[in-house]
Amino acid sequence: MITLSEENYIKAILTLSLKSLEKVSTNSIASEIGTTAASVSDMLKKLLEKKLINYEKYKGVSLTNKGRVLATTIIRKHRLWETFLVDCLNFDWSEVHIVAEQLEHIQSEKLIDKLDKFLEYPEFDPHGEPIPTKEGIIPNSNAIPLNKLNTFTKGLVMGVTLDEKKFLHYLTKLNISIGTKITIEEKIDFDNSLNIKINDSFHHVSSNVAKHLLIKIIK
């Protein structure tokens, strides 16, 4: 029997591993979960006993095949529920994460398959995160951080790498959401901030904002 806490940990390990080819560190898991390194170490022992992870002290953590299948399923459920909440119940994209955290632990495979079909098999959630298929395949968005693009490049917002309520509220105030058209008008050498055009209005954004916006280049 896998507990809700154990599910949260393996989901965090998979999320972190998708961002890096290296094994996941105890400290990075602690940061992702919002707990202490000591608590992570205790949990890793339990996950190791259940053969969900490969773990050697000071060498990092990786998921076993069993652990990856389970973690991928949890992430799939989470992102499908986020999509449902935004598309069908008109939740704001800054509200859905906490609710989806509760819904992702529902065990009915039939329900999730029906939800996927009802939503017409979406590839990305409201934050632009890829939704794994039932077979565990994770779509590739080919998106690039806004701060990596050249001046006068045009693109569409495909997602964000920071899923925090304050950040998403800020983007909403700028009228930035998934699918928003952005043009880089100027890159400021002094602080790497950007002057951008959002649809027909002009804005100034910091480098910290720009690095968390994923863009698909268009002509």
Side-chain angles (χ1 to χ4, degrees), residues 79 82-84 86-87 93 96 124-129 159 177-178:
R79 294 176 181 173
E82 285 195 337
T83 304
F84 175 77
V86 170
D87 291 357
W93 69 338
V96 295
F124 301 95
D125 73 9
H127 306 113
E129 296 281 4
S177 59
I178 303 302

Side-chain angles (χ1 to χ4, degrees), residues 22-118:
E22 299 179 356
K23 288 187 175 182
V24 178
S25 70
T26 301
N27 286 335
S28 64
I29 297 171
S31 178
E32 181 77 11
I33 294 287
T35 188
T36 65
S39 295
V40 172
S41 295
D42 290 340
M43 176 59 74
L44 293 181
K45 294 175 183 177
K46 297 177 182 178
L47 297 178
L48 189 62
E49 289 175 359
K50 295 186 177 182
K51 300 182 179 179
L52 295 171
I53 62 168
N54 300 303
Y55 172 55
E56 289 183 66
K57 199 171 184 179
Y58 307 121
K59 292 186 178 181
V61 183
S62 63
L63 293 172
T64 61
N65 287 337
K66 178 183 176 182
R68 186 179 179 87
V69 168
L70 181 57
T72 302
T73 300
I74 297 166
I75 287 178
R76 175 174 179 252
K77 289 188 289 185
H78 181 99
R79 294 176 181 173
L80 283 172
W81 282 120
E82 285 195 337
T83 304
F84 175 77
L85 291 168
V86 170
D87 291 357
C88 302
L89 299 184
N90 298 318
F91 275 70
D92 186 86
W93 69 338
S94 64
E95 300 176 300
V96 295
H97 181 73
I98 294 176
V99 181
E101 284 277 324
Q102 301 167 22
L103 294 169
E104 72 185 27
H105 299 293
I106 293 174
Q107 297 299 317
S108 174
E109 184 177 349
K110 181 178 180 180
L111 173 61
I112 301 306
D113 288 346
K114 283 184 174 291
L115 178 64
D116 197 11
K117 183 179 180 180
F118 175 78

Side-chain angles (χ1 to χ4, degrees), residues 177-195:
S177 59
I178 303 302
T180 298
K181 183 179 178 180
I182 291 180
T183 303
I184 299 178
E185 298 291 329
E186 183 182 10
K187 301 185 80 170
I188 313 300
D189 291 336
F190 172 67
D191 59 359
N192 296 316
S193 61
L194 303 175
N195 288 324

